[in-house]
Amino acid sequence: MKVVIVTFIEVVNNNLKSVQYHLHDMRLPIIVLALICINALGKVVNAVDNDCSKKWICNHEDKCVRIFKDPQNLHTYSSQNACRLSCGTFGSLWPQPTGHVLLGQTLFSLNPNHLKFNISGTSVDTTNYLHAISNIFISKVIKECGNGCNEARSEKHVSVRLLVRSNETEITWSTDESYRLDVITSGDQVTVRISGSTIFGVRHGLETLSQLMTADICEGLLLVKSVRIEDRPIYRHRGLLLDTSRNFIPVADIKRTIDGMAASKLNVFHWHITDSHSFPLEIPSIPQFTIYGAYGPNFTYPPNVVREIITYAKFRGIRIIIEIDTPSHAGNGWQWGESHGLGKLAVCVNKQPWRNYCIQPPCGQIQPTNAFVFGIFRDIYRHLQTLIETDETIHFGGDEVHFGCWNSSEEIVKYMHDHDLGRDTNDFLQLWAEFHQALLRVWDEERGQDENSRRGIPVAPKKVIIFSSHLTDPNHIENYLQKDRYIIQTWLESSNEQPQKLLNLGYELIMSTKNAWYFDHGFWGNTAYYTWKTAYDNRLPKHNNVLGGEACVWTELIDEHNLDSRVWPRLSAVAERLWSNPDTPATKSTERIFQHNTRLELLGISPEPIAPQYCILNEGQCT
């Protein structure tokens, strides 16, 4: 008997998919086959009907649960995603707002083509920024609703008004990122008002608006009908460090990571762009850096690419802070000095046995007594000034100097002898501090070579960032590093008392708690893996000098293939801690982080799964 092919539409994971069933050599009368087909098609129709009947409610525990009979006097929803929009105080918002929140229970469907923007900028630059972020918003909405975009069940027109009150266009630690969002519905007219002191606050408001929407297979694109949110971040510095030296990270993967950061309202991408492993940053005036230091010609970041990433990040509310690590973690890319008549720019480069000269292979440290080194850094900083925002700072690195390396260098030992320095710890600390002081002078001088300086307008000194190290020990840091010039990024365990002591001395801190926010841990040595709950529950000291914190992604065992799963959703947890600093534990945010994972997936990110699908669909059953 000939093969009979029956094609019908089946609902799978809330998406309509065409499924073909091939019935091979069935020795049954045609009428029986017809009855089988009709029965199967009937089941499909019933499944569609069931999925589109409102069968989800938000119960008294703020859980979205499925029911099989419509209850009286309760709002019901046709999908779990729709239910989650307004279930509980914060719905599915991530991170949770810090101010007043009012979410209505009623939803309505809309067509993205009916979204109209009314933009009120204070200058050409702010107006252009608002237009750009509104286009990014629309593209996200279209991606969210897919083919259902034009299937709105109502003809409501939505007017989105963006209002900014200042001309500020650069993100700094003093930027006001607060916003207010209102959704007001009157008949067929819906008005969304998002206002903020700065364009960056308005951007965050648009991000929140996108989280008040969801695609529904039955009702198209849905939006909460009545909303009022007042929101601002607790911490000024909310970041991710990404190392692109140990393993090169392609531009597309960096941008995808920035997309996830924007969706989570993080605001700093700390680009650890160089290390002893490789030097992928192209410096046009010094091509030797990438010739000697890049993994290959296709593993570099040219100036136009760096500018592109900086601009891409800015339109997503994120500043880029570039780190040129020094004096340690500087090896490959620096070995050309002698052949160009400049002497050794770095010592111990790739030297073995590595344990005698560095913390991890490959070894390499700047030669701090070579005067040519500071001319090289002048060229680097001059180049960075053409890339970064006018008021942006830099990260000096500055950790893990291995005195055994410097002590093995004839040039350094001779310099110390000639300058009445011995070779004990205090002497090497003095050399280390003098190097940073000289480097800071070079940075200040290059920052001063701008239009303001040429017009006689003084450029105020700006703080730079440096990692915690032996040099930043609270017992002697004041002898070496001025608190009005250096911000310390601590990477210590949560039990360590040094951060509190540094705060007591008046230093500003960025905190990267080693036993919670180091995402490379758990895959090498005696390190432990930290779950998203550990990352979420990591609290920072309550002190005005805590600027905020960063999660760190060191890439010894990470590249573009596993970057997403190592970062997400743990970085989402860090984002809520730094934006909201909630009093509640991670277990109270489980349903919301499930929803945020779904948003990340729509951005092309592949976060690590954090629960079986059953637990996601059956809220509260796996607690």
Side-chain angles (χ1 to χ4, degrees), residues 305-379:
V305 168
V306 176
R307 290 191 191 96
E308 178 187 344
I309 292 173
I310 289 173
T311 301
Y312 188 89
K314 183 175 180 178
F315 283 115
R316 287 152 182 83
I318 296 166
R319 62 194 286 204
I320 304 274
I321 295 179
I322 292 177
E323 178 191 346
I324 306 295
D325 206 349
T326 184
S328 188
H329 296 282
N332 290 290
W334 290 92
Q335 39 311 41
W336 49 272
E338 289 180 289
S339 62
H340 287 70
L342 302 178
K344 289 182 180 179
L345 302 175
V347 292
C348 308
V349 179
N350 300 324
K351 195 169 182 178
Q352 294 288 348
W354 66 266
R355 290 185 184 277
N356 294 338
Y357 307 104
C358 57
I359 302 299
Q360 67 171 184
C363 295
Q365 292 184 179
I366 294 296
Q367 211 286 54
T369 68
N370 182 347
F372 289 113
V373 163
F374 299 100
I376 298 298
F377 273 104
R378 186 176 299 280
D379 284 345

Side-chain angles (χ1 to χ4, degrees), residues 95-113:
Q96 67 182 47
T98 59
H100 178 75
V101 178
L102 175 63
L103 301 177
Q105 292 183 302
T106 305
L107 314 178
F108 70 92
S109 59
L110 71 152
N111 187 322
N113 294 325

